[in-house]
Amino acid sequence: MSEAKAPEESIAAQLNLKDGDYVQEFGYDDDVDADLRGRIEDAIGSELFDEDAQEVVDAVVLWWRDGDGDLVDELVDVQTTLDDGGVVWLLTPKAGRQDHVSPADIQEAASTAGLHVTSAARVSPDWTVSRLTPKRNF
């Protein structure tokens, strides 16, 4: 309807999520974008699985801030329940925000953890998302 609604309506398309997808969330804290979380849950038709879930999931949402620890270790850990072909959506504070993580640091950590950074986009006023996919050995 309005231009302000367009980004909200496209979250499913931006993150390639659909009704019935299983999505696990890591790094939840008081600073996450509640509206974005709600739009993700609306897109998949259910709540996000928490960090303790053991289900095989189609995607992982990882909220990450500078100072949260070792990103490589976290990226390796979040892949344990990720289905073949699954995607890690790494959400980091936008440039200029407190606890911003540089794209170079994301690229290096992803590569070390066996992932490729395939795209990045702004999905909320305070957060940027990077799409990480497993490396393929051909």
Side-chain angles (χ1 to χ4, degrees):
M1 291 204 207
S2 72
E3 290 179 8
K5 286 287 185 187
E8 293 177 13
E9 293 168 356
S10 67
I11 192 65
Q14 285 181 302
L15 300 184
N16 196 28
L17 297 172
K18 61 189 178 309
D19 189 38
D21 280 350
Y22 292 122
V23 180
Q24 188 170 15
E25 178 181 45
F26 293 85
Y28 177 86
D29 206 339
D30 295 338
D31 64 346
V32 302
D33 186 317
D35 181 57
L36 178 59
R37 284 184 83 249
R39 290 185 282 141
I40 292 170
E41 290 178 338
D42 288 347
I44 64 173
S46 65
E47 292 183 4
L48 299 169
F49 288 107
D50 67 17
E51 295 181 7
D52 297 325
Q54 296 298 312
E55 288 81 358
V56 175
V57 296
D58 302 298
V60 165
V61 170
L62 171 58
W63 303 91
W64 191 262
R65 305 137 198 97
D66 185 42
D68 276 354
D70 188 325
L71 181 54
V72 174
D73 287 346
E74 189 67 16
L75 289 173
V76 169
D77 289 348
V78 302
Q79 292 180 71
T80 59
T81 58
L82 192 61
D83 198 7
D84 289 342
V87 175
V88 176
W89 294 105
L90 176 64
L91 289 140
T92 57
K94 284 174 42 176
R97 302 286 200 259
Q98 182 177 347
D99 299 324
H100 169 70
V101 181
S102 78
D105 289 344
I106 293 169
Q107 182 70 42
E108 182 179 343
S111 181
T112 303
L115 298 165
H116 285 293
V117 178
T118 60
S119 63
R122 291 183 184 100
V123 289
S124 83
D126 296 316
W127 295 87
T128 299
V129 66
S130 298
R131 181 179 188 266
L132 311 179
T133 60
K135 291 181 181 178
R136 301 280 185 239
N137 294 327
F138 294 101

PDB file of all heavy atoms in Angstrom, residues 56-69:
ATOM      1  N   VAL A  56      16.548 -30.073  12.817  1.00  0.00           N
ATOM      2  CA  VAL A  56      17.243 -29.679  11.599  1.00  0.00           C
ATOM      3  C   VAL A  56      16.465 -28.506  11.019  1.00  0.00           C
ATOM      4  O   VAL A  56      15.245 -28.565  10.895  1.00  0.00           O
ATOM      5  CB  VAL A  56      17.314 -30.853  10.596  1.00  0.00           C
ATOM      6  CG1 VAL A  56      17.919 -30.411   9.275  1.00  0.00           C
ATOM      7  CG2 VAL A  56      18.118 -31.997  11.192  1.00  0.00           C
ATOM      8  N   VAL A  57      17.169 -27.426  10.671  1.00  0.00           N
ATOM      9  CA  VAL A  57      16.503 -26.201  10.227  1.00  0.00           C
ATOM     10  C   VAL A  57      16.903 -25.830   8.803  1.00  0.00           C
ATOM     11  O   VAL A  57      17.967 -26.205   8.319  1.00  0.00           O
ATOM     12  CB  VAL A  57      16.788 -25.023  11.194  1.00  0.00           C
ATOM     13  CG1 VAL A  57      16.202 -25.310  12.577  1.00  0.00           C
ATOM     14  CG2 VAL A  57      18.276 -24.721  11.300  1.00  0.00           C
ATOM     15  N   ASP A  58      16.026 -25.064   8.167  1.00  0.00           N
ATOM     16  CA  ASP A  58      16.265 -24.586   6.803  1.00  0.00           C
ATOM     17  C   ASP A  58      17.157 -23.353   6.778  1.00  0.00           C
ATOM     18  O   ASP A  58      17.829 -23.090   5.783  1.00  0.00           O
ATOM     19  CB  ASP A  58      14.930 -24.240   6.134  1.00  0.00           C
ATOM     20  CG  ASP A  58      13.993 -25.439   6.102  1.00  0.00           C
ATOM     21  OD1 ASP A  58      14.361 -26.442   5.474  1.00  0.00           O
ATOM     22  OD2 ASP A  58      12.903 -25.362   6.713  1.00  0.00           O
ATOM     23  N   ALA A  59      17.127 -22.588   7.863  1.00  0.00           N
ATOM     24  CA  ALA A  59      17.916 -21.357   7.926  1.00  0.00           C
ATOM     25  C   ALA A  59      18.224 -21.021   9.380  1.00  0.00           C
ATOM     26  O   ALA A  59      17.517 -21.446  10.297  1.00  0.00           O
ATOM     27  CB  ALA A  59      17.161 -20.195   7.281  1.00  0.00           C
ATOM     28  N   VAL A  60      19.289 -20.243   9.548  1.00  0.00           N
ATOM     29  CA  VAL A  60      19.683 -19.748  10.861  1.00  0.00           C
ATOM     30  C   VAL A  60      19.708 -18.230  10.796  1.00  0.00           C
ATOM     31  O   VAL A  60      20.189 -17.657   9.819  1.00  0.00           O
ATOM     32  CB  VAL A  60      21.087 -20.276  11.254  1.00  0.00           C
ATOM     33  CG1 VAL A  60      21.675 -19.495  12.421  1.00  0.00           C
ATOM     34  CG2 VAL A  60      21.032 -21.758  11.573  1.00  0.00           C
ATOM     35  N   VAL A  61      19.153 -17.597  11.822  1.00  0.00           N
ATOM     36  CA  VAL A  61      19.261 -16.145  12.000  1.00  0.00           C
ATOM     37  C   VAL A  61      20.224 -15.939  13.158  1.00  0.00           C
ATOM     38  O   VAL A  61      19.965 -16.394  14.272  1.00  0.00           O
ATOM     39  CB  VAL A  61      17.884 -15.515  12.311  1.00  0.00           C
ATOM     40  CG1 VAL A  61      18.035 -14.064  12.731  1.00  0.00           C
ATOM     41  CG2 VAL A  61      16.957 -15.643  11.116  1.00  0.00           C
ATOM     42  N   LEU A  62      21.354 -15.287  12.874  1.00  0.00           N
ATOM     43  CA  LEU A  62      22.381 -15.049  13.892  1.00  0.00           C
ATOM     44  C   LEU A  62      22.572 -13.546  14.074  1.00  0.00           C
ATOM     45  O   LEU A  62      23.032 -12.864  13.172  1.00  0.00           O
ATOM     46  CB  LEU A  62      23.700 -15.700  13.477  1.00  0.00           C
ATOM     47  CG  LEU A  62      24.938 -15.376  14.328  1.00  0.00           C
ATOM     48  CD1 LEU A  62      24.734 -15.758  15.792  1.00  0.00           C
ATOM     49  CD2 LEU A  62      26.170 -16.065  13.751  1.00  0.00           C
ATOM     50  N   TRP A  63      22.162 -13.040  15.240  1.00  0.00           N
ATOM     51  CA  TRP A  63      22.403 -11.650  15.610  1.00  0.00           C
ATOM     52  C   TRP A  63      23.811 -11.584  16.179  1.00  0.00           C
ATOM     53  O   TRP A  63      24.112 -12.294  17.143  1.00  0.00           O
ATOM     54  CB  TRP A  63      21.398 -11.188  16.669  1.00  0.00           C
ATOM     55  CG  TRP A  63      19.958 -11.327  16.274  1.00  0.00           C
ATOM     56  CD1 TRP A  63      19.144 -12.406  16.505  1.00  0.00           C
ATOM     57  CD2 TRP A  63      19.153 -10.365  15.594  1.00  0.00           C
ATOM     58  NE1 TRP A  63      17.899 -12.164  16.006  1.00  0.00           N
ATOM     59  CE2 TRP A  63      17.868 -10.913  15.446  1.00  0.00           C
ATOM     60  CE3 TRP A  63      19.405  -9.076  15.090  1.00  0.00           C
ATOM     61  CZ2 TRP A  63      16.825 -10.229  14.822  1.00  0.00           C
ATOM     62  CZ3 TRP A  63      18.363  -8.397  14.479  1.00  0.00           C
ATOM     63  CH2 TRP A  63      17.094  -8.967  14.347  1.00  0.00           C
ATOM     64  N   TRP A  64      24.673 -10.753  15.616  1.00  0.00           N
ATOM     65  CA  TRP A  64      26.069 -10.720  16.050  1.00  0.00           C
ATOM     66  C   TRP A  64      26.561  -9.286  16.163  1.00  0.00           C
ATOM     67  O   TRP A  64      26.316  -8.467  15.290  1.00  0.00           O
ATOM     68  CB  TRP A  64      26.949 -11.491  15.073  1.00  0.00           C
ATOM     69  CG  TRP A  64      28.322 -11.705  15.607  1.00  0.00           C
ATOM     70  CD1 TRP A  64      29.444 -10.969  15.332  1.00  0.00           C
ATOM     71  CD2 TRP A  64      28.732 -12.682  16.551  1.00  0.00           C
ATOM     72  NE1 TRP A  64      30.517 -11.449  16.047  1.00  0.00           N
ATOM     73  CE2 TRP A  64      30.100 -12.505  16.799  1.00  0.00           C
ATOM     74  CE3 TRP A  64      28.065 -13.700  17.222  1.00  0.00           C
ATOM     75  CZ2 TRP A  64      30.814 -13.304  17.681  1.00  0.00           C
ATOM     76  CZ3 TRP A  64      28.775 -14.493  18.093  1.00  0.00           C
ATOM     77  CH2 TRP A  64      30.135 -14.299  18.317  1.00  0.00           C
ATOM     78  N   ARG A  65      27.268  -9.022  17.267  1.00  0.00           N
ATOM     79  CA  ARG A  65      27.818  -7.700  17.515  1.00  0.00           C
ATOM     80  C   ARG A  65      29.303  -7.818  17.782  1.00  0.00           C
ATOM     81  O   ARG A  65      29.759  -8.836  18.298  1.00  0.00           O
ATOM     82  CB  ARG A  65      27.159  -7.063  18.748  1.00  0.00           C
ATOM     83  CG  ARG A  65      25.650  -6.991  18.664  1.00  0.00           C
ATOM     84  CD  ARG A  65      25.061  -7.415  20.029  1.00  0.00           C
ATOM     85  NE  ARG A  65      23.661  -7.766  19.907  1.00  0.00           N
ATOM     86  CZ  ARG A  65      23.205  -9.016  19.775  1.00  0.00           C
ATOM     87  NH1 ARG A  65      24.019 -10.041  19.737  1.00  0.00           N
ATOM     88  NH2 ARG A  65      21.918  -9.243  19.691  1.00  0.00           N
ATOM     89  N   ASP A  66      30.062  -6.769  17.437  1.00  0.00           N
ATOM     90  CA  ASP A  66      31.470  -6.731  17.783  1.00  0.00           C
ATOM     91  C   ASP A  66      31.573  -6.892  19.291  1.00  0.00           C
ATOM     92  O   ASP A  66      30.859  -6.235  20.042  1.00  0.00           O
ATOM     93  CB  ASP A  66      32.100  -5.407  17.336  1.00  0.00           C
ATOM     94  CG  ASP A  66      33.593  -5.381  17.565  1.00  0.00           C
ATOM     95  OD1 ASP A  66      34.252  -6.391  17.288  1.00  0.00           O
ATOM     96  OD2 ASP A  66      34.094  -4.341  18.037  1.00  0.00           O
ATOM     97  N   GLY A  67      32.401  -7.788  19.740  1.00  0.00           N
ATOM     98  CA  GLY A  67      32.546  -8.025  21.172  1.00  0.00           C
ATOM     99  C   GLY A  67      31.760  -9.221  21.674  1.00  0.00           C
ATOM    100  O   GLY A  67      31.843  -9.576  22.850  1.00  0.00           O
ATOM    101  N   ASP A  68      30.990  -9.886  20.790  1.00  0.00           N
ATOM    102  CA  ASP A  68      30.207 -11.052  21.213  1.00  0.00           C
ATOM    103  C   ASP A  68      31.056 -12.310  21.377  1.00  0.00           C
ATOM    104  O   ASP A  68      30.556 -13.320  21.845  1.00  0.00           O
ATOM    105  CB  ASP A  68      29.085 -11.346  20.215  1.00  0.00           C
ATOM    106  CG  ASP A  68      27.839 -10.503  20.457  1.00  0.00           C
ATOM    107  OD1 ASP A  68      27.791  -9.765  21.459  1.00  0.00           O
ATOM    108  OD2 ASP A  68      26.912 -10.587  19.628  1.00  0.00           O
ATOM    109  N   GLY A  69      32.303 -12.268  20.973  1.00  0.00           N
ATOM    110  CA  GLY A  69      33.153 -13.453  21.078  1.00  0.00           C
ATOM    111  C   GLY A  69      33.828 -13.737  19.757  1.00  0.00           C
ATOM    112  O   GLY A  69      34.121 -12.833  18.989  1.00  0.00           O
TER     113      GLY A  69
END
